[in-house]
Amino acid sequence: MARRQVLYAGGALGAVAVAGLTTANALARRPPRTGADLSSRVRLPPPFQVPLPLPPVLKPVGTTGGIDRYEITQREVTAEILPGVRTPLWTYNGTFPGPTIESRRGRPVSVRHRNELPVPTVVHLHGGRTPAASDGYPTDLVLPDGWPDAARGAHRMSGMHGMEHGAQGMHDPRAVRSRLTRDYTFPLDQRPTLLWYHDHRMDFTAPAIWRGLAGLHIVRDDAEEALGLPSGPRELPLMIGDRAFHADGTLAYPSLDPTLRKEPGVEEPYLAGVLGDVILVNGAPWPVHEVDAARYRLRVLNASNARHYELAAVAEDGRRLDLIQVGADQGLLAEPVRHRVLPIAPAERYDLVVDFSGIPVGGLVKVVNRLGAGRTRDVMAFRIARKATDDSRVPRVLSTDLPTWSRSDALRVRDFSFRAGRMNGGHGWVIGGKPFDPARTDVTVRLGDVEVWRLVADIHHPVHLHLVGFKVLSRSGGAPLPHDAGLKDTVSLRPGESVEILTRFDGYRGRYLFHCHNAEHEDMGMMANFEVV
């Protein structure tokens, strides 16, 4: 967005508050775009030339008491993302994306993270049903060797444009900090699905993810494997993200403090979000993957900071292939849903089956982003390499273990607004009019209670709840959209839109977060606490 559009967005909720839903509906017709573009200064490769990389699957270092133990080192490396160009990255185990962990439903894993980066870090397993001590709360820092002291992570620092921004200056008496290593334990007592792990450090999540701190975690079980969905080499994890590059190959990002040690935030034109002009899939620019003329299962994650996509699979003759959705953020749907175009917001995941059997050998199927323009309209491509037998299927019934909650089960209804705000004379993003404060409990819920939450947005806000999955009940008073099916943990609110979600706060007691997953908004105050008691 141009600067005037950013400022317009900043006043959007004020207009909604004055004029109500009529203005909200008008905002909903604005272009589906939040953020400002960064332009790369390095020569970019043509699309569909770089092979699609597949993240390595991490092996456990051992098993103790029925818990599989893993080790990951967070470290800086220099790698080739653009052909012939070297780019410094912050990584998990030296790769971008980080290594994939594959686990079984109900079998706990423990991951020891070692921080060899120059700044504190936190790890959050996004979508995990995780005890609070391992959920990756933003102030539970893993300090690098040589970091001055444990208090440094929450001391008062100058904020963006002179303001004390968001959680800054707020002391968190409950923060649990460790030096160099931390063990995160994940019970994984949850439905099989695609999760992802990423840095969640207070005020610096966006630039840390941008630099490479993200990886996949897949949960499996016997019932899912018995369905006959495409598997093995015909199951592909696809982490989509956008980046921009300086002329020397380094990543471009408009941080106020490029060291990420003191002052958080981004330059003013990017307050609504940072959009790159290079689309990466599994860390490769506009890659191509050779496939059989058969069904493939695509496990798709939007790991972009702020970019939204509308994905379509288009053959060379212009025909769109069906995107058969079999799962959402929190696992399998009850039955498949067919899409020709699928919107996906930051942090959302979709489990899709695409059938390439009708494409001739040698043919190309492009995955395009209908919200993109120029180079950002292309995402990746599949080249049909050979005919092949295919015994996979997409059954009419996928799962029978979805929650049976209904609106009548809800004990209470809560309302939350997600909007731009002004804090100490500067720009920020707030929930219910308040910026994030780790020392404040915003919502208290009882373990096992069912609630309806009504979420209202000024501009695009993908809202994520930690710990729990939820059902989408309605959008702006109407029915949910087809892609809202199943159990989710992130819901995309469009400009001026209200969404009702229904959830049960089960699992674990403790302190958790809900927040916007536009990572720039999150860093600028758009988080809140809920306490399960």
Side-chain angles (χ1 to χ4, degrees), residues 19 37 50 65 106 127 168 189 199 242 262 277-279 284 297 307 320 334-335 350 390 392 394 405 409 487 511 514:
D37 290 299
V50 178
Q168 298 210 109
D189 182 18
D199 191 72
D242 58 338
K262 295 182 178 179
D277 62 350
V278 178
I279 304 300
R297 184 179 183 184
R307 184 178 293 280
R320 288 187 195 165
E335 58 189 27
Y350 287 104
D390 184 3
S392 70
V394 180
W405 326 309
D409 296 322
L487 197 63
R511 178 174 63 164
F514 62 103

Side-chain angles (χ1 to χ4, degrees), residues 128 157 164 193 425:
M157 300 179 284
E164 299 291 338
T193 191

Side-chain angles (χ1 to χ4, degrees), residues 289-293 296 359-363 382-388:
H289 188 65
E290 286 194 352
V291 296
D292 301 330
Y296 277 71
I359 306 299
V361 172
F382 296 95
R383 176 78 66 184
I384 287 64
R386 65 196 68 84
K387 293 288 186 182

Side-chain angles (χ1 to χ4, degrees), residues 18-350:
V18 172
L21 291 178
T22 300
T23 301
N25 290 335
L27 286 172
R29 292 192 292 271
R30 287 173 52 78
R33 180 177 177 81
T34 297
D37 290 299
L38 280 172
S39 296
S40 294
R41 302 303 180 190
V42 68
R43 182 178 180 181
L44 300 178
F48 319 137
Q49 300 294 316
V50 178
L52 174 73
L54 297 177
V57 176
L58 192 63
K59 301 293 186 184
V61 297
T63 299
T64 305
I67 300 176
D68 294 326
R69 295 185 295 106
Y70 295 84
E71 293 180 354
I72 291 177
T73 299
Q74 304 167 13
R75 56 191 173 93
E76 187 169 12
V77 302
T78 299
E80 185 176 296
I81 294 179
L82 305 176
V85 177
R86 306 296 290 177
T87 299
L89 298 168
W90 289 3
T91 69
Y92 295 116
N93 268 15
T95 67
F96 171 61
T100 298
I101 295 177
E102 293 208 5
S103 54
R104 306 295 298 183
R105 180 177 187 171
R107 183 176 177 86
V109 305
S110 175
V111 185
R112 172 165 292 182
H113 277 265
R114 179 182 178 88
N115 181 11
E116 295 184 356
L117 294 168
V119 299
T121 60
V122 182
V123 180
H124 170 56
L125 181 61
H126 182 118
R129 286 169 53 86
T130 305
S134 291
D135 191 54
Y137 193 80
T139 56
D140 288 348
L141 303 176
V142 182
L143 306 176
D145 202 21
W147 192 260
D149 57 67
R152 181 71 176 267
H155 78 310
R156 183 175 294 273
M157 300 179 284
S158 62
M160 290 167 291
H161 310 294
M163 70 180 177
E164 299 291 338
H165 140 69
Q168 298 210 109
M170 305 292 185
H171 176 63
D172 181 8
R174 298 169 65 176
V176 178
R177 299 185 176 90
S178 58
R179 188 168 293 280
L180 201 56
T181 66
R182 184 178 179 116
D183 292 345
Y184 295 87
T185 300
F186 306 115
L188 300 176
D189 182 18
Q190 60 186 99
R191 307 174 75 236
T193 191
L194 173 66
L195 312 174
W196 65 301
Y197 59 97
H198 61 79
D199 191 72
H200 213 309
R201 176 187 169 205
M202 186 175 74
D203 299 334
F204 293 95
T205 294
I209 292 176
W210 191 272
R211 293 188 186 194
L213 291 180
L216 301 175
H217 187 135
I218 298 175
V219 184
R220 303 189 184 277
D221 75 359
D222 294 343
E224 181 197 38
E225 290 173 345
L227 292 174
L229 295 169
S231 61
R234 293 180 184 169
E235 179 185 3
L236 300 174
L238 303 175
M239 179 189 287
I240 303 174
D242 58 338
R243 299 292 190 273
F245 296 82
H246 292 299
D248 62 358
T250 57
L251 289 169
Y253 187 85
S255 291
L256 295 179
D257 173 15
T259 71
L260 308 190
R261 295 177 66 89
K262 295 182 178 179
E263 186 173 14
V266 292
E267 298 167 6
E268 185 172 344
Y270 302 93
L271 296 178
V274 179
L275 307 175
D277 62 350
V278 178
I279 304 300
L280 305 178
V281 183
N282 294 349
W286 303 286
V288 62
H289 188 65
E290 286 194 352
V291 296
D292 301 330
R295 295 184 192 90
Y296 277 71
R297 184 179 183 184
L298 309 181
R299 314 293 294 266
V300 182
L301 158 68
N302 180 359
S304 303
N305 280 22
R307 184 178 293 280
H308 292 242
Y309 301 80
E310 279 188 0
L311 301 177
V314 183
E316 290 175 295
D317 60 4
R319 175 168 55 97
R320 288 187 195 165
L321 278 63
D322 283 342
L323 305 175
I324 304 174
Q325 184 187 351
V326 297
D329 301 333
Q330 287 286 307
L332 293 168
L333 308 184
E335 58 189 27
V337 177
R338 290 180 180 268
H339 306 276
R340 288 297 178 90
V341 175
L342 182 64
I344 181 168
E348 285 189 304
R349 287 96 66 214
Y350 287 104

